[in-house]
Amino acid sequence: TLEYSTDLFDASTILRLSEHLRNLSEEVACDPDRALSRLALLSAAERHQVLVEWNATESFLGEPGCVHELFQTQAQRTPDAIAVVSGDLVVTYGELHRRTLQLAGSLRRRGVGPGDLVGLATERSVEMVVGILGILAAGAAYVPLDPSYPRERLAFMLEDTQVSVLLTQERLVARLPTDKVESVFLDAGWEEIGREGALETLTSALQENLAYVIYTSGSTGRPKGVMISHRGLAAYLEWAVGTYVAAGDGGSLLHTSISFDLTVTSLFVPLLSGQRVVLAAEEEGVEALAAGLAEEEGLGFVKLTPSHARLLREQVAPEALAGSSRRLIVGGEALSGADLALWRESAPETWIFNEYGPTEAVVGCCVHAARAGDLESGAVPIGRPISHARLYLLAGDLSPVPQGVPGELYIGGVALARGYLGLPGLTAERFLPDPFAAQPGSRCYRTGDLARWHGRSGLEYLGRIDHQVKVRGFRIELEEIETLLAAQPGVCAAVVLAREDSPGDQRLAAYLVPEPGAEAPSEEELFASLRRELPEYMIPVVFVVLERMPLTPNGKLDRRALPAPVRRRETGARVIPRDELELQLARIWEDLLGLQTVGVEEDFFSLGGHSLLGVRLMSRIEHLLGVRLPISLLFQASTIERLAAALRHRRHEEVASSLVLIQPGSTEPPFFCIHPAHGNVLCYIELARRLRTEQPFYGLQAHGIVGESTPSDTIEDMAGVYLREIRAVQPEGPYFLGGWSMGGVVAFETARQLEAQGERIALLALFDSHAPSRERERAGIEEGALMLGFARDLGFDLSGLDLDALLGQVQGLAPAERLSRILEAAKEARLLPPDVDLAHFAQLFQIFRGNVQAMLKYRPKPFGGRVTLFQAASRAAGASRSSKLGWGRWARGGMDIVKVPGDHHSIVRVPDVETLAEQLDSRIETHLRSAKS
């Protein structure tokens, strides 16, 4: 398995070819370390000569072919083999190749060909894979665009690349800056693409042509596009297939964005070797990776970052790892053996590959391999160069350094990027003529990384020589953030550091000096400004205002003297823990967030928490208190006070209020959002957190969700109960009400009852809600369809069950037992998570059934105010095509119809919820201004 790593240019190969040490060939084979020590005695000039002589004998790779050609060969060899698995969707090599040629033909007819760039902005899906292969098959290069990036950043990338065509999905288009580019929908527009006719012959592409342009953080305040050629990509993949693939493997798990070059390995390696790619669900964070590892067995490899590995300890049961994957490829940041403790204990036979390589060297150029059980707790080496790479450790004058002496790492070989798109100066600065290569025109890349040779283990990574950092696997140029901060009004100077004040938790901290006489922007203003320009992982979690920056004696910035960040607090004393439970929670928060004291009213996310820390927080709570809480609860209860209250409710099963404060906000009137049929308000978390931070947002959950309260059995009764709880928070109008699906029906009745009491409704927002009618009641809902709808509302898909057959088998049982049997069958079929509480699930279904029955029986009465209907653009088969969804006759004050991207379920989920939040926010703000005037 490790034969490739014995071909060492720093030992046997160099020394065997060296005129200086030719007589040591036998010694090298027996003792490379001793030979290296002899090499270290040579002068710099002699070491230079050794490298030149070795490079002159190197046999360069031939022409391995372009990726789309290699894929076609594999598809023709195994057309019926599974190529891609995405949820319940399974696509064979033959089908994937057919769709690839169809898309390539469509692109060619649009004038796309060799040398062109095509944008690709999709979710993780079969459309994404087809998009990449189709672009390459047309001879063009793809530009991956993460739809979750800020609109301004995406606009810059599209402008920078000057793409004329953007491949995307219809539900994403509202979030993308598409005004200057032709959009082609890979989902809704596929029927038209198919009719246009497939490409008959693959478009030839030269090895020097671009395969993709991928953006990384830039030191100028803007991201920079790294141009990767077919030659470099094919060279890396040729090595990776030979190293990471073995007969009988089950393929790979792809769980990262296409804007992260970690994906290149997970996608292309299996597709070029006849294996399958399993696409993890689109959820963000480590949850999708954990779910994929738990559900899949016998994977050939999984590629992830050390941050992923650390967080998986909180998410995956140890026994689930033993058979999940034969190989684990780790890259993106420095790796410690402690990061892999879970594998050492639970899967010691798993091979661990620590793969090093910047984007500019096509994913990887250096690797260290060991079994998990053999790794120690210290730093894991990055190992030795792979087959097509040359690595040099050089001093400032570009002379090689001796063994054990730190030097800057330079990379040579065929798999180097062409350079940076539109940045010839930066390209010349980072890509230099290779001083050791015999072939004219050879280049090497200056990485900015420090390393040293470390005996048999090869290279040891030591850190950076500049201000580039890696945070949770993402490469960040701190200057890009500093440039944006320095441009903020009132800011004179800005510095950003990556700090690790607690082990394993690296976070960005920003230091600001205000302009003379000016006041520094607030944290809220800085967060809002940076979120318009930067992805979430590049936004500092804390801002520190200084009178002046610390300087060294020679007048340079002294970064080491910057103080440990202390979050700016509002004036006034913090509320300290008031009982044992709050004290226990405070200690957990203080440890995770690296703070000395935390008030019970302070927000987890404002203190620097993020989703990965949230995973660790909930794991600590479960370990300490024996209570398992969903991570989503943290978005509702993001203070110690509210989290403690949630824990008390779970412990004592108290009768709970329907009100759930999802976002505290300011003194503005709250937006009250009523639950859909399943009774829970977790579905509104994404919506609430995307509204203005000053907008209070309450969810109203059904009675019976928590505690022993009894659900209402009519819409009128529900509205009456919720009305009283709303008025307890806000005694008088104007009121802002809304709800999704059935929640809109209850919101309508609540607004009607408030109006009857003389109160004013400023905004009544219905999110894709249908007005009940006698026709809908007579049609009813079959039990099987009821179960499918219930599961889908909660984010599960039970369509893989033969519900009709199952219902027939349990027909004679009591309703509770009948439901229990069906849920067990869903769990066995892996359509429900393995740790789902079936009793709680059954309780929720009974609430859902009662709510649906109440909704079908409800007969609306006229409402004098105006109704705003947010209607999903995609309608399900058989759904109402009415533009007003039946509300026109009941809305006496008129209606506003707002079309939002997505279908009935996706409008409240990422990414479609972005548009819904933007439109809702705009209307709330308009009504607030009107009320104040």
Side-chain angles (χ1 to χ4, degrees):
T1 304
L2 300 180
E3 283 183 355
Y4 69 89
S5 68
T6 62
D7 185 19
L8 311 178
F9 81 72
D10 63 312
S12 57
T13 305
I14 295 180
L15 300 182
R16 180 167 46 81
L17 296 172
S18 170
E19 290 290 340
H20 302 284
L21 299 172
R22 188 179 299 277
N23 61 334
L24 292 179
S25 59
E26 292 183 5
E27 181 179 321
V28 169
C30 299
D31 191 350
D33 287 340
R34 182 180 175 190
L36 278 170
S37 65
R38 294 287 297 274
L39 179 63
L41 298 176
L42 298 177
S43 67
E46 290 172 328
R47 289 197 300 275
H48 183 283
Q49 183 62 29
V50 168
L51 290 171
V52 170
E53 290 175 1
W54 171 68
N55 284 332
T57 67
E58 182 188 19
S59 59
F60 287 89
L61 291 175
E63 299 292 321
C66 298
V67 170
H68 55 285
E69 297 168 339
L70 298 174
F71 170 73
Q72 175 175 264
T73 300
Q74 184 61 54
Q76 292 170 343
R77 185 183 299 128
T78 58
D80 298 325
I82 294 175
V84 181
V85 177
S86 179
D88 294 332
L89 185 60
V90 176
V91 180
T92 65
Y93 273 86
E95 173 64 15
L96 182 58
H97 185 230
R98 184 182 68 81
R99 295 180 64 177
T100 293
L101 294 180
Q102 286 179 313
L103 178 58
S106 178
L107 290 173
R108 292 293 289 147
R109 277 183 287 278
R110 286 175 164 83
V112 172
D116 292 328
L117 301 179
V118 178
L120 180 66
T122 65
E123 295 175 333
R124 202 161 39 245
S125 60
V126 173
E127 286 94 345
M128 177 195 79
V129 181
V130 172
I132 291 174
L133 292 174
I135 293 169
L136 294 175
Y142 69 94
V143 181
L145 303 166
D146 191 329
S148 70
Y149 280 2
R151 191 182 182 91
E152 286 79 0
R153 194 175 185 86
L154 294 173
F156 170 79
M157 294 176 182
L158 290 172
E159 180 70 24
D160 195 42
T161 54
Q162 290 293 296
V163 302
S164 59
V165 177
L166 172 65
L167 303 184
T168 185
Q169 293 157 312
E170 187 179 37
R171 58 183 173 273
L172 302 178
V173 70
R175 304 181 57 207
L176 303 173
T178 57
D179 51 322
K180 297 180 181 179
V181 64
E182 179 186 3
S183 298
V184 177
F185 298 137
L186 296 177
D187 47 3
W190 188 258
E191 186 176 343
E192 180 181 349
I193 293 172
R195 285 197 302 267
E196 293 176 348
L199 191 69
E200 295 183 1
T201 305
L202 288 181
T203 305
S204 297
L206 300 176
Q207 290 283 298
E208 289 73 25
N209 284 359
L210 293 182
Y212 62 84
V213 174
I214 192 167
Y215 276 80
T216 66
S217 179
S219 59
T220 61
R222 291 290 190 180
K224 55 183 183 290
V226 182
M227 302 183 289
I228 302 299
S229 69
H230 280 280
R231 181 189 302 278
L233 178 59
Y236 168 76
L237 292 174
E238 182 183 47
W239 169 83
V241 168
T243 304
Y244 297 144
V245 174
D249 280 353
S252 73
L253 175 67
L254 196 161
H255 62 96
T256 50
S257 163
I258 55 173
S259 291
F260 194 12
D261 67 358
L262 202 87
T263 298
V264 170
T265 312
S266 301
L267 176 64
F268 288 124
V269 169
L271 289 182
L272 300 189
S273 55
Q275 297 185 354
R276 63 189 174 123
V277 179
V278 179
L279 304 180
E282 186 61 28
E283 295 96 340
E284 294 185 11
V286 76
E287 291 89 344
L289 172 57
L293 286 173
E295 293 168 5
E296 299 295 330
E297 293 183 1
L299 291 169
F301 71 87
V302 173
K303 192 169 187 180
L304 40 69
T305 67
S307 291
H308 287 139
R310 288 191 289 270
L311 269 298
L312 282 172
R313 289 180 293 188
E314 318 287 349
Q315 288 284 299
V316 179
E319 58 272 13
L321 287 182
S324 61
S325 178
R326 296 184 181 183
R327 286 170 289 282
L328 191 68
I329 308 169
V330 189
E333 55 188 333
L335 176 67
S336 165
D339 298 332
L340 301 168
L342 186 60
W343 274 267
R344 285 208 314 268
E345 298 164 4
S346 306
E349 297 303 310
T350 300
W351 277 98
I352 306 294
F353 292 83
N354 187 22
E355 186 183 283
Y356 164 86
T359 300
E360 289 83 350
V362 190
V363 186
C365 62
C366 187
V367 73
H368 174 78
R371 292 192 187 276
D374 298 332
L375 290 172
E376 299 178 358
S377 58
V380 178
I382 59 175
R384 307 185 184 279
I386 65 179
S387 59
H388 59 269
R390 300 192 299 269
L391 302 187
Y392 312 128
L393 285 182
L394 306 179
D397 60 357
L398 299 187
S399 64
V401 299
Q403 181 189 8
V405 176
E408 185 175 356
L409 186 57
Y410 288 71
I411 303 170
V414 298
L416 290 185
R418 184 187 295 179
Y420 300 111
L421 181 67
L423 299 171
L426 183 61
T427 298
E429 178 186 328
R430 306 302 295 186
F431 294 86
L432 311 176
D434 189 334
F436 310 110
Q439 182 170 333
S442 296
R443 302 175 305 149
C444 62
Y445 171 67
R446 181 180 184 180
T447 67
D449 289 333
L450 285 174
R452 64 183 171 198
W453 290 110
H454 194 267
R456 293 181 183 274
S457 299
L459 283 171
E460 178 185 6
Y461 176 78
L462 301 177
R464 293 286 301 174
I465 63 171
D466 56 17
H467 304 311
Q468 184 189 107
V469 297
K470 285 285 187 76
V471 175
R472 302 197 295 278
F474 294 100
R475 189 171 95 180
I476 299 173
E477 297 277 4
L478 296 178
E479 289 93 337
E480 180 175 358
I481 311 171
E482 292 169 351
T483 300
L484 292 174
L485 286 173
Q488 299 299 311
V491 175
C492 175
V495 175
V496 179
L497 295 183
R499 302 187 63 100
E500 192 169 347
D501 296 312
S502 61
D505 178 28
Q506 195 173 38
R507 297 185 288 166
L508 296 179
Y511 298 83
L512 310 174
V513 175
E515 292 180 348
E519 185 176 347
S522 67
E523 283 190 353
E524 292 73 19
E525 292 170 331
L526 292 169
F527 277 127
S529 177
L530 292 183
R531 283 194 175 108
R532 289 193 292 269
E533 299 279 349
L534 300 174
E536 198 69 29
Y537 65 84
M538 291 183 66
I539 298 176
V541 299
V542 64
F543 298 89
V544 180
V545 179
L546 304 173
E547 291 185 6
R548 63 183 66 86
M549 293 291 180
L551 303 177
T552 63
N554 61 1
K556 294 184 179 181
L557 174 68
D558 188 354
R559 291 177 178 267
R560 294 185 178 182
L562 289 167
V566 177
R567 180 177 172 269
R568 287 185 290 155
R569 313 282 178 121
E570 300 294 332
T571 56
R574 295 186 300 278
V575 179
I576 63 173
R578 295 157 296 195
D579 60 23
E580 183 181 355
L581 178 58
E582 289 186 347
L583 180 60
Q584 288 175 308
L585 291 175
R587 286 172 177 167
I588 296 174
W589 283 38
E590 289 161 2
D591 184 40
L592 286 176
L593 297 170
L595 298 173
Q596 290 186 343
T597 56
V598 175
V600 300
E601 295 178 334
E602 294 186 278
D603 184 86
F604 178 78
F605 298 99
S606 298
L607 290 172
H610 48 74
S611 59
L612 297 182
L613 274 182
V615 175
R616 295 172 59 190
L617 174 65
M618 293 311 194
S619 178
R620 292 274 191 96
I621 291 173
E622 181 181 359
H623 178 74
L624 181 65
L625 304 176
V627 179
R628 170 169 288 192
L629 300 174
I631 298 171
S632 58
L633 179 62
L634 189 58
F635 293 94
Q636 293 180 78
S638 56
T639 68
I640 290 173
E641 182 178 49
R642 295 202 298 272
L643 194 57
L647 281 164
R648 292 188 195 98
H649 281 303
R650 286 178 177 253
R651 282 178 165 181
H652 304 299
E653 295 187 346
E654 298 173 351
V655 175
S657 165
S658 295
L659 283 171
V660 177
L661 180 59
I662 298 178
Q663 177 168 284
S666 65
T667 57
E668 300 287 5
F671 182 76
F672 296 96
C673 204
I674 298 175
H675 63 83
H678 59 67
N680 212 309
V681 293
L682 294 179
C683 54
Y684 297 135
I685 291 172
E686 299 292 349
L687 174 62
R689 298 198 72 83
R690 282 164 173 76
L691 299 179
R692 293 166 301 135
T693 55
E694 62 268 24
Q695 177 59 57
F697 191 109
Y698 283 88
L700 286 108
Q701 63 188 356
H703 281 199
I705 289 288
V706 178
E708 300 174 351
S709 54
T710 303
S712 303
D713 56 5
T714 70
I715 297 296
E716 291 85 352
D717 286 349
M718 287 183 207
V721 171
Y722 302 156
L723 179 153
R724 289 190 292 273
E725 295 186 349
I726 287 171
R727 299 197 71 171
V729 172
Q730 184 186 347
E732 57 185 25
Y735 289 101
F736 294 78
L737 305 173
W740 168 54
S741 194
M742 172 196 159
V745 177
V746 185
F748 180 90
E749 175 60 23
T750 305
R752 197 194 63 76
Q753 291 187 22
L754 280 167
E755 184 183 56
Q757 295 177 10
E759 294 294 343
R760 186 165 74 88
I761 310 302
L763 176 66
L764 174 57
L766 312 184
F767 308 137
D768 210 51
S769 300
H770 292 257
S773 64
R774 285 189 172 84
E775 290 75 17
R776 290 173 67 85
E777 182 184 11
R778 283 196 295 269
I781 301 179
E782 297 177 352
E783 189 169 12
L786 201 65
M787 288 185 177
L788 289 175
F790 164 68
R792 192 174 181 199
D793 272 5
L794 293 178
F796 303 116
D797 185 1
L798 299 186
S799 59
L801 285 180
D802 188 347
L803 279 174
D804 290 337
L806 284 171
L807 287 169
Q809 294 171 15
V810 300
Q811 192 170 10
L813 300 176
E817 179 64 19
R818 185 164 65 241
L819 178 63
S820 178
R821 293 281 187 89
I822 291 173
L823 292 178
E824 286 287 357
K827 197 171 182 180
E828 290 174 6
R830 296 187 177 183
L831 299 176
L832 292 178
D835 57 348
V836 70
D837 185 340
L838 294 185
H840 182 59
F841 209 73
Q843 177 192 5
L844 291 179
F845 181 70
Q846 296 304 331
I847 294 171
F848 177 81
R849 184 202 299 271
N851 284 339
V852 170
Q853 291 172 347
M855 181 177 62
L856 291 176
K857 294 176 182 177
Y858 172 62
R859 295 293 169 266
K861 296 177 182 177
F863 167 60
R866 195 166 185 84
V867 173
T868 302
L869 175 64
F870 296 84
Q871 188 174 9
S874 301
R875 312 304 301 163
S880 171
R881 298 292 167 178
S882 165
S883 63
K884 298 181 179 180
L885 301 187
W887 293 109
R889 60 185 296 197
W890 308 116
R892 294 290 171 84
M895 292 188 68
D896 296 315
I897 311 297
V898 183
K899 286 290 183 72
V900 291
D903 58 30
H904 178 72
H905 291 85
S906 73
I907 61 169
V908 293
R909 296 174 184 160
V910 175
D912 295 332
V913 71
E914 297 276 1
T915 304
L916 178 62
E918 181 181 335
Q919 295 291 340
L920 177 62
D921 217 6
S922 172
R923 280 153 180 80
I924 292 175
E925 191 172 7
T926 297
H927 287 291
L928 283 173
R929 286 199 302 266
S930 175
K932 289 176 181 178
S933 63

